[in-house]
Amino acid sequence: MYPNVFPSSHPLVLHKVTLLRDIDTEPKKFRELIREISALLAYEATSDLLTMPRDVETPLAPMVGAELREKIGLVPILRAGLGMVEGVWELMPTAEVWHIGLYRDERTLKPVEYYNKLPIEPTVSVCLVLDPMLATGGSATATISVLKRWGVKKIKFVGIIGAPEGIRTLHDTHPEVPIHIAAVDVKLNERGYILPGLGDAGDRQFGTG
Ligand code: PRP
Ligand code: URA
């Protein structure tokens, strides 16, 4: 597809995404699956983070181990990205979480920003942008533009289901940003929903709609 797009081929991810799509999966189970899939994807997405040597004393001997060199920021796109935070945060508990609020205008499908409390100077060196759905790509593309203006040099997108249209838009606008995704689906429908997709990720997590 594109060199910087990484669909997961992990059997656990494929299994859990199928349960996630199921119309009969209720919100409690849906949230649990989002959390688990997000952790598995984040594990894959962080395989190139930099480390530095760290002295450590085991009960038997001193040795040189490793510690993370990068300051990680998790950036969930509200609302649906919120459910992805917990699973990822458990893997990297010192990460900072910076929320970006965007909703898609139902008519134009363009993202509208409504929440952004980033401080003036960047406080992290790498950001993982979290949003389960990459549909037209407008929300992810806009969020990554915000983070670039903030001054973050290393940005990765972690999503669950992507449409070819959204992957193309995100890749064309920010080609250096890796896209880690559990599944690439067929297309968007006339309302900008991913087919076959899973429906509305925000509504299914929060029991709304
Ligand atoms: C959904 C989803 C993404 C966006 C994807 O959010 O969580 O943020 O749509 O669509 P795009 O790629 O076409 O921009 P939505 O606007 O429905 O808001 P919500 O998360 O608050 O439900
Ligand atoms: N947002 C969703 O929640 N689902 C889609 O299919 C597209 C955008």
Side-chain angles (χ1 to χ4, degrees):
M1 193 193 253
Y2 301 105
N4 233 1
V5 178
F6 303 98
S8 179
S9 55
H10 198 296
L12 287 177
V13 172
L14 305 184
H15 178 89
K16 288 174 191 293
V17 170
T18 304
L19 297 176
L20 191 70
R21 292 180 190 276
D22 191 330
I23 190 172
D24 291 325
T25 297
E26 79 286 5
K28 182 172 189 292
K29 181 72 183 167
F30 192 90
R31 290 193 295 273
E32 187 180 303
L33 288 163
I34 291 266
R35 197 167 61 236
E36 294 170 351
I37 295 165
S38 305
L40 291 165
L41 294 175
Y43 176 77
E44 292 180 346
T46 49
S47 64
D48 64 348
L49 289 189
L50 302 176
T51 59
M52 57 189 177
R54 177 188 185 285
D55 294 334
V56 61
E57 296 257 351
T58 82
L60 299 178
M63 65 163 287
V64 181
E67 74 179 14
L68 277 177
R69 199 161 94 191
E70 313 206 49
K71 282 207 77 181
I72 305 169
L74 306 182
V75 184
I77 304 179
L78 304 177
R79 287 176 305 166
L82 271 182
M84 296 181 70
V85 172
E86 203 180 306
V88 181
W89 217 358
E90 276 182 19
L91 300 179
M92 44 199 97
T94 58
E96 297 179 6
V97 180
W98 293 100
H99 301 85
I100 298 289
L102 292 178
Y103 70 86
R104 267 197 332 176
D105 181 293
E106 278 183 15
R107 200 176 43 81
T108 64
L109 297 183
K110 298 281 179 239
V112 181
E113 186 174 323
Y114 63 88
Y115 185 85
N116 175 352
K117 293 281 183 198
L118 294 172
I120 292 172
E121 295 295 328
T123 55
V124 294
S125 60
V126 52
C127 279
L128 302 184
V129 175
L130 307 175
D131 192 330
M133 308 307 277
L134 183 59
T136 65
S139 305
T141 301
T143 300
I144 290 167
S145 297
V146 166
L147 296 175
K148 283 187 175 176
R149 283 197 296 274
W150 193 34
V152 182
K153 297 281 179 291
K154 199 163 162 183
I155 303 171
K156 293 160 179 273
F157 178 81
V158 182
I160 297 183
I161 299 189
E165 295 89 331
I167 290 174
R168 190 180 318 115
T169 297
L170 179 52
H171 180 270
D172 288 352
T173 315
H174 302 296
E176 77 291 3
V177 173
I179 301 174
H180 292 269
I181 198 103
V184 178
D185 274 12
V186 178
K187 61 174 183 175
L188 296 177
N189 72 9
E190 66 291 345
R191 290 175 50 228
Y193 276 79
I194 300 174
L195 292 176
L198 50 72
D200 190 304
D203 284 346
R204 292 196 65 184
Q205 284 181 75
F206 296 109
T208 51

